[in-house]
Amino acid sequence: MELLKRFQQGDLDAFETLFRQFQADVYCWIVRIVRDSGIAEDLTIETFWRIHKARARFDTEASFGAWARRIARNLAIDHIRSRRREQDLPEQSLSAEAPDSALRRETHEKLEHAFRQLSPKLQAAATLALVDERP
Amino acid sequence: MTNYRDKEIQRLLKEVIPRVDREVRQDLWPAMLRRLEAPRCYLPWYEWALIGAPCCWLVIFPKGILHLLYHL
């Protein structure tokens, strides 16, 4: 409680303690959604930067972890949303492949394309529930 | 059948969506500190001039705000 109060008042040491305590969790929440470690690191920094910026509004009675998780999840979903806009149409393979391999590749491309058509929130939910098997 | 198809889709999704390491690779605090120390909002002088010019204009000609609102 004392730590959260000091953080709320702008104490950098308190913020560092919270950062070190939660950076692994925040990174894990984000990487499970965005599936890219570099991007997850950037978004982890961005999450804590927003947390630091909004510290005055933080209720010290509430859970810091839940607050961080909400910010991290929203940032990860926003990232998927922006990536979706930038994404090009899937490239067509011109190489000569074995029929099985070509069929498999085509199935993968279709599935990936269909998956990217889902809303960012559904993409995140599907990734967590079906791929990571952790809701 | 549905259960089989669900499992098949799940298997294919696992193949399509890349596996990622859930452990953070490095301490991110130094990068966080750099972010905190970076200037929050740097505006070059000409952007201040662009902001200042209409403000000065409104101070000198207060009635101009009506024209501005009309055109907005």
Side-chain angles (χ1 to χ4, degrees), chain A residues 1-8 58-62:
Chain A
M1 189 62 74
E2 182 62 33
L3 179 69
L4 292 177
K5 276 194 178 149
R6 285 198 293 121
F7 155 70
Q8 194 195 37
F58 177 64
D59 175 9
T60 51
E61 303 291 322

Side-chain angles (χ1 to χ4, degrees), chain B residues 2 7 14 16 28 31 34 49 62 66 71:
Chain B
T2 309
K7 289 279 175 206
K14 281 182 177 176
V16 167
L28 298 175
R34 281 196 298 278
L66 295 173
H71 288 290

Side-chain angles (χ1 to χ4, degrees), chain B residues 19-38:
Chain B
R19 290 222 152 270
V20 283
D21 189 1
R22 293 184 200 164
E23 298 294 318
V24 64
R25 295 175 298 185
Q26 55 182 331
D27 180 21
L28 298 175
W29 178 246
M32 185 74 243
L33 264 185
R34 281 196 298 278
R35 179 76 194 265
L36 288 173
E37 285 163 3

Side-chain angles (χ1 to χ4, degrees), chain A residues 20 46 108 130 133-134, chain B residues 10 14-15 27 35:
Chain A
R20 293 194 185 281
E46 180 66 26
H108 279 186
L130 298 173
E133 296 183 62
R134 276 171 62 184
Chain B
Q10 185 174 12
K14 281 182 177 176
E15 283 180 15
D27 180 21
R35 179 76 194 265

Side-chain angles (χ1 to χ4, degrees), chain B residues 45-56:
Chain B
W45 66 269
Y46 49 86
E47 292 199 13
W48 283 113
L50 279 174
I51 295 166
C55 292
C56 290

